[in-house]
Amino acid sequence: VAELNETHDPQLRSWIESANAPECDFPVQNLPFGVFCSAGTGAPRGGVAIGNCVLDLHALREMGVFTGVAAGAAAAAIGPTLNDLMQQPPSSVSALRAQLSQLLRADGAVSERVRSRVSEFLVPRDSVQMQLPAAIGGYTDFSCSYTHMAGMRNGEPARIFFQFPIGYHGRTSSIRPSGFPVTRPCGQWVRDTPAEVQFGPEPRLDFELEFAAFIGSGNELGESLSVAQAAERLFGYCLLNDWSARGIQMLEMGGLGPFLGKSFVTTISPWVITNEAMAPFRVARPQRREVEPPVPAHLDAPEDEKAGGMSIELSAHLQTPGMRAAGLPPERIVSTNLKSLYWTFAQMLAQQTSNGCNVQPGDLIASGTVSGPEPQGRACLAEINQRGSRPLDLPDGLKRVWLEDGDELTITGRAVRAGYVSIGFGECTGRVTSARGSPGNAPHLRTNPG
Ligand code: MN
């Protein structure tokens, strides 16, 4: 687990004024990496978010400001994906972060001449198109929230939930950065009356508020990672929406598990908040109750027990077309915190590699729906509506049971701790569009022959 250093100093301010606003997601203590396109810079390239700007790492590196191992890490961060950066030793990425901090802080050891050159490489964040930060070779979706598993079952989770982090292999080709439209999928689901399987636009479209980690350096096939080793291979974090087609999912879960109900699209926030940036926000993982089995040895480590969790306030906001037309802002429908997650990311990665399966730089592992005990802690509609029986009340007098066409769902996150500068994760947003071949969402339903 990364240690606190001068880059986390709460007294630091940036000479870029927008980075000093209290509500800013990207103060000088954050320094997340991402890949962006802009009219001025052309092809996708690496950047760092600071205030309302993106710092162009490619241009900055050409200027020759980075030295030592930081220069090597910077060279790995300028291309169209961050996979090369992710597999650098954590000490090199840390050196790059330290030099970026010096360049961007108000009291940095940098000449006026250098600072004025750096200011030429700042691009307004609202003028860029963010890309996926990595070529994601593998994606695993775990299910690590006790509250979610209990809520979906209406009782205690199955025994295996307490024995290891449960998960399944997700689809990488349909992962998209924030803002990509979410086309309502078609598939097979059971209609209530008459009760029969049919093919058509999914009627029970849902979101799942999740949190995810990018893998840094991987492991060899056949080599298992301990929890302590796994903790050092978590490069950084983002927000994730595991859009879910509940009708399709309910039917297919009777077979081999999640498949078409999940793979139509997955949205992530485009900025990767580094493991080092998260150092001030580490917390102990939740204590186990007496009735639960002990943590298995291959999933345990003293440091993980003490500081394997993270305190991050997570929210989901919904805006319907009616709310947009009435000029109403998005309504917060979920407030939860990552700290209640039952298993840590180091435990998830240790479990993933416990059979010798190899992971690679840029692989993504997600937490599962981060439901928590807070009053608004249910982090998907299936939990909020209690299987369709309790509609969600929205400010324009409208109700929602499931997502409708035109609805926009946005996930945000803030790491907060007294005495430290709070950092944010940017946005993970997507708007639902009508199913292909069904303009205006007119149902085109076919009953399955046989
Ligand atoms: Mn999920």
Side-chain angles (χ1 to χ4, degrees), residues 139 141-142 168 208 210 242 244 262 368-369:
Y139 161 46
D141 194 18
F142 285 91
Y168 67 95
E208 290 186 342
E210 302 199 15
D242 179 25
S244 296
K262 301 286 192 172
T369 309

Side-chain angles (χ1 to χ4, degrees), residues 382-400:
E383 275 181 83
I384 293 170
N385 68 31
Q386 293 168 17
R387 293 161 184 256
S389 66
R390 206 193 69 164
L392 171 72
D393 288 313
L394 291 169
D396 56 352
L398 280 175
K399 293 178 186 299
R400 277 292 182 275

Side-chain angles (χ1 to χ4, degrees), residues 133-205:
I136 303 170
Y139 161 46
T140 311
D141 194 18
F142 285 91
S143 188
C144 293
S145 158
Y146 170 86
T147 314
H148 176 66
M149 291 305 284
M152 295 296 270
R153 279 170 63 103
N154 228 346
E156 276 291 292
R159 190 74 175 164
I160 58 165
F161 174 82
F162 304 101
Q163 290 163 334
F164 52 87
I166 54 174
Y168 67 95
H169 288 119
R171 184 78 196 163
T172 59
S173 63
S174 52
I175 300 175
R176 290 291 181 276
S178 181
F180 194 87
V182 176
T183 303
R184 180 179 301 273
C186 286
Q188 288 167 289
W189 41 273
V190 180
R191 186 163 65 175
D192 289 342
T193 44
E196 58 189 12
V197 176
Q198 48 182 60
F199 184 95
E202 168 62 58
R204 292 180 237 164
L205 187 61

Side-chain angles (χ1 to χ4, degrees), residues 5 24 80 84 109 121 135 155 177 197-198 218 243 245 266 286 290 297 300 311-312 320 341 343 361 408 418 428 437:
N5 56 44
C24 176
D84 283 350
F121 305 139
V197 176
Q198 48 182 60
W243 303 94
T266 303
E290 292 239 324
D300 208 2
S311 180
I312 304 167
T320 68
L341 206 66
W343 297 98
E408 187 169 275
C428 175

